[in-house]
Amino acid sequence: MSPIPRRSLLKAAAAAGAAAQFSWALGAKNAQAAPRAEAADADPVTLDWLEDGGLGAAPGSTVGVPWPMGTYQEDQTFALTDANGKAVPVQSWPLAYWPDGSLKWTAHAVGAGSGKLTLTAGTPAAPDRKVTVDKSGGTIDISTGVITARIGKNGSTLIKSVTRGSTEIARDGRLVLIRQPEIEDEDQGAVRTERFDGTISEVTVEQDGPVRAVVRIDGKHRKGDRHWLPFSLRLYFYAGADSFRMVHTITYDGKQEPGKASGDFIRGLGVRFSVPMRDAAYDRHIRIGGEGTGLLREAVQGITGLRRDPGAAVQAAQYAGQKLPDPSTWDQRVTSRLQYIPHWGDYTLAQLSADGFTVRKRTRKGYGWIGAGGGRRASGFGYVGGVSGGLSFGLRDFWEKYPAQLDIRDAHTDEAEVTLWLWSPEAQPMDLRFYHDGMGQDTYAKQLEGLNITYEDYEPEFGTPYGIARTSELLFWANASTPSPETLAGQVEAVRTPPQLAAPPKQLIKAKVFGPGLYSEPDRSTPAKAKIEDHLDFLFTYYKDQVEQRRWYGFWDYGDFMHTYDTVRHQWRYDVGGYAWDNSELSPDLWLWYAYLRSGRSDLFRFAEALTRHTGEVDVYHLGKWAGLGTRHGVQHFGDSAKQQRIANTTYRRFYYFLTADERVGDLMHANVDSDETFLVLDPQRKVRTDPYTPDRHALSIGFGTDWSGLVSAWLTEWERKGPKWEKAKARVLSTMEGIAAQPNGFVQGSGLYDLDTGKFAVADKPVVSVSHLSAVFGLNELCAELIHLVDMPRFKEVYLDYCRYFNATKAEQAARYGSDFGTLLLFQGHSRLDAYAAVQSGDATLAKRAWTKFYSSDGYSESSPWKTQELSGPVTLVPGSEAAWVSSNDTALYGLAAIENLALLGDRMP
């Protein structure tokens, strides 16, 4: 079943009248959807795994597959087969529709399988063991055919129990929050903490099988009368699986003020289960994941290494996790003294940095800890249980999103306790206070002066974390007995890299999704093409290596990278205003996702996945007056006072959603549908306006570049998903396209007055020339290419192609067309892709030539750029590594997009 209700599309609007004589009812002239396409060639699609293998120990995988317009209608069913032609059970549902009502994207969930799979139209095979959901009682009971989870509908116990057959493996799944009300910056003071428990406010079954079931749980953390730190988590169950997946999101709504030691500081944030312990102490096992698939393998009561030997076979069996023979069969010198062998009930693995973890254990609370080992980067995996069953558990991106921790407590008693700490209580409290006091920047004039020196757009009280979020992924297995080392290694790998099915680049290109014609498969058929491909590979490899060298890791930071390099310090400008974290500036998200779409490379997918998870959560507000807005690049992800649509841009999220059907990213995109309301709260141009302006509900100033591209991407996505507000979203897509098309200067007009109630732009009385180098570099070209493909509106296409034609034109050409030139502009290399797009759409050979000229011989990177790194070591750098001092993230994003799009559009017309 689809998580979004299916509805029929509105009828296409009639086309009549001249472009300059729009009837301003929604769906008027030039606002109709493209006509229904003829049924396309419905070839089978071969799906493959991003990494080698298949599901392995993971519970299942879900993949999004695009279809050319007209291929399949909404009621189409799908079948899946393996390489041998054997039917593989699959659950399918629509993700998006073309304007003609045919399927654009479909999602497909599998609960078993390895190797390549073939997807065709047909009747799906039913799984031998279906996922079933029973909502009739006081709990929601979900069975995979192997395990059953009872999910609470209220209270603080989210998962009442997890059973396998008749054996209860885990119980009392709950969320734990430790708040520290005060930070002591000096070396004196008493640390006080208080514990909050996650409390359910709403539970929703989003899918109910037969292959995949999804349950969403929302609530807040509570202690007494206080409810705060909202959470939203989803539980995923697949047919035949002995495990389930959890996607856990928190949104920060506490208070931390710069200069003050008191506030809502998170000391610990975790997910906790109780695990019944039924076996003899010597048959209870602990497994802690170390580096790679390495494991600490111990028993609660260990019988290896003793002064007296119980027998080699007995020791080997305990180390293997097997049930031991009756102690009466052991060497009696051991059996008679079993009561003297300690029981180790508590274990902790703490990863407090990206480069080090420690493991320690103790017999029980109140007794001393002893070191049990350590290393650099732990897998985030553990197991506790015995020969009659136990719980495996894992936290993805464990060391990358440090400080993290795994705790096992009371394994020597009848009930052990497991906690996966997303924020380790042994780390410093989560300090999100703004990092400086503004240094006298109490007016817009002074703030602009500050911008001129540190490139930071400062404004008092704007550097707040209130409303930012973070999502984590966890896996749990209900094991019938202590797993073998090989099984445990498979579970570790599933935690570290969840298996992901993927459609091939050929299908994405054929379906014409994400901008028809804007990307093509890598081509090294000529030296010129090969050189650009080498440059693209160099840039991606460099950033991947810089993440490691510069340690761009941490709970709030992982997934992002830095903006600009400091050539003197041989360091990225991590501490200099707006030069620090990139926050999606100039669309690196698009560069990475288009690089993946054309290549199918798993390393590109994983890098882009981490960026999408980060920017969609951390760099955007999800609560409060700025909900729906993102924050410009800066020293802290939330610190800059420029809160704008361009960072919250749904365009950056669409790729991951449609490729994986990830519900959390779907939430983020739906939340943006009403973000036009934020223009009432905050004027993005407030510091630089020269004319008086007060936000007016019926006349909001909205730019046609960075503002509108963010808004229309959310509306378009809601429309094609047929989300709850799709009719409103469709109307706004069409009406705002009409409004831009009707302006005297189209896109060159720069902005328009927008009515929140009607969703229309007023038509300006006179032409204005207002062009910014930023307008088209936050996804505008890619969005307009999609819109022109989807919506038959000739005037809109005309004004957009005009913008593309004249941005890189000479000042004389601009003035001849518009009455004045565009002023001083930048980023010509990045805008060469606009030339390329317009050249193909118009058949203009002169534009095609100019596209390559601007790509090779303007700003940005060129053939004369070094295209190599310099080694760093010794006293000039913190750790040995390399630098490419000529690389900046702005230029990288624009070069990457221009290279990919120019090759696809004009690769046959390279100089």
Side-chain angles (χ1 to χ4, degrees), residues 37-262:
E38 296 298 323
D41 184 14
D43 293 331
V45 176
T46 300
L47 306 177
D48 204 355
W49 302 92
L50 279 182
E51 287 81 17
D52 292 339
L55 277 177
S61 182
T62 300
V63 60
V65 178
W67 306 101
M69 192 183 302
T71 305
Y72 294 121
Q73 299 308 308
E74 183 176 10
D75 57 356
Q76 181 64 57
T77 58
F78 294 91
L80 200 64
T81 55
D82 64 15
N84 298 318
K86 181 182 178 181
V88 175
V90 62
Q91 179 176 318
S92 305
W93 63 96
L95 285 179
Y97 303 83
W98 292 101
D100 69 350
S102 62
L103 290 172
K104 185 176 184 180
W105 284 91
T106 52
H108 308 276
V110 297
S114 60
K116 295 182 179 181
L117 302 173
T118 300
L119 182 70
T120 60
T123 302
D128 294 333
R129 292 188 257 192
K130 299 180 180 180
V131 172
T132 60
V133 179
D134 183 357
K135 299 181 285 185
S136 61
T139 58
I140 297 172
D141 297 348
I142 299 182
S143 172
T144 69
V146 177
I147 64 172
T148 299
R150 296 175 60 236
I151 298 169
K153 294 182 178 180
N154 50 55
S156 60
T157 304
L158 280 59
I159 301 176
K160 300 286 188 181
S161 66
V162 180
T163 58
R164 181 166 181 156
S166 59
T167 303
E168 185 180 46
I169 301 298
R171 64 168 72 110
D172 297 336
R174 55 212 186 269
L175 304 183
V176 182
L177 167 67
I178 301 174
R179 173 184 178 267
Q180 184 171 316
E182 188 172 6
I183 281 184
E184 291 293 343
D185 289 332
E186 303 301 331
D187 58 1
Q188 295 182 9
V191 175
R192 295 182 298 110
T193 62
E194 53 182 348
R195 198 184 92 180
F196 289 72
D197 298 310
T199 303
I200 298 169
S201 61
E202 185 177 7
V203 180
T204 307
V205 176
E206 295 183 328
Q207 288 191 324
D208 57 6
V211 175
R212 179 188 196 246
V214 183
V215 178
R216 174 174 173 170
I217 307 174
D218 292 279
K220 292 186 177 182
H221 296 80
R222 178 181 67 85
K223 179 187 178 185
D225 294 332
R226 186 178 183 191
H227 294 68
W228 75 297
L229 201 69
F231 66 84
S232 180
L233 63 82
R234 284 182 170 89
L235 303 172
Y236 294 83
F237 300 87
Y238 285 83
D242 61 356
S243 58
F244 63 94
R245 175 173 175 250
M246 176 187 291
V247 176
H248 170 290
T249 301
I250 56 104
T251 304
Y252 185 80
D253 65 341
K255 186 175 182 180
Q256 294 186 20
E257 296 184 38
K260 295 186 178 180
S262 60

Side-chain angles (χ1 to χ4, degrees), residues 278-285 287 303 313-327 329-330 386-389 481-482:
R278 292 169 289 272
D279 302 294
Y282 50 75
D283 274 336
R284 299 181 184 185
H285 305 119
R287 303 291 185 259
I303 57 169
V314 176
Q315 293 181 93
Q318 186 180 66
Y319 185 62
Q322 299 166 357
K323 183 174 177 59
L324 301 189
D326 189 279
T329 65
W330 307 355
V387 294
S388 66
S481 59
T482 299

Side-chain angles (χ1 to χ4, degrees), residues 528-593:
K529 290 181 179 180
K531 184 169 288 188
I532 293 176
E533 297 290 354
D534 288 344
H535 293 169
L536 288 170
D537 288 347
F538 170 87
L539 289 171
F540 172 64
T541 301
Y542 180 64
Y543 274 82
K544 190 167 62 171
D545 291 346
Q546 287 294 291
V547 169
E548 170 62 11
Q549 179 183 336
R550 309 298 178 171
R551 301 304 193 268
W552 291 335
Y553 301 118
F555 183 82
W556 291 109
D557 296 335
Y558 178 60
D560 205 353
F561 42 81
M562 289 285 165
H563 184 277
T564 307
Y565 199 69
D566 184 340
T567 58
V568 176
R569 287 189 289 170
H570 302 282
Q571 171 67 277
W572 292 81
R573 304 184 202 179
Y574 71 96
D575 58 348
V576 183
Y579 289 113
W581 290 114
D582 193 65
N583 280 31
S584 294
E585 183 71 357
L586 306 198
S587 304
D589 316 61
L590 296 183
W591 157 52
L592 290 164
W593 279 119

Side-chain angles (χ1 to χ4, degrees), residues 812-827:
E813 289 171 328
Q814 294 166 353
R817 168 65 179 84
Y818 287 103
S820 65
D821 63 51
F822 293 175
T824 301
L825 296 175
L826 304 168
L827 311 181

Side-chain angles (χ1 to χ4, degrees), residues 24 698-699 704 739 742-744 751-755 760-765:
W24 286 98
H698 304 294
F704 296 154
Q743 301 300 325
S751 64
L753 296 178
Y754 173 78
D755 189 318
K760 300 175 184 176
F761 282 116
V763 180
D765 297 331

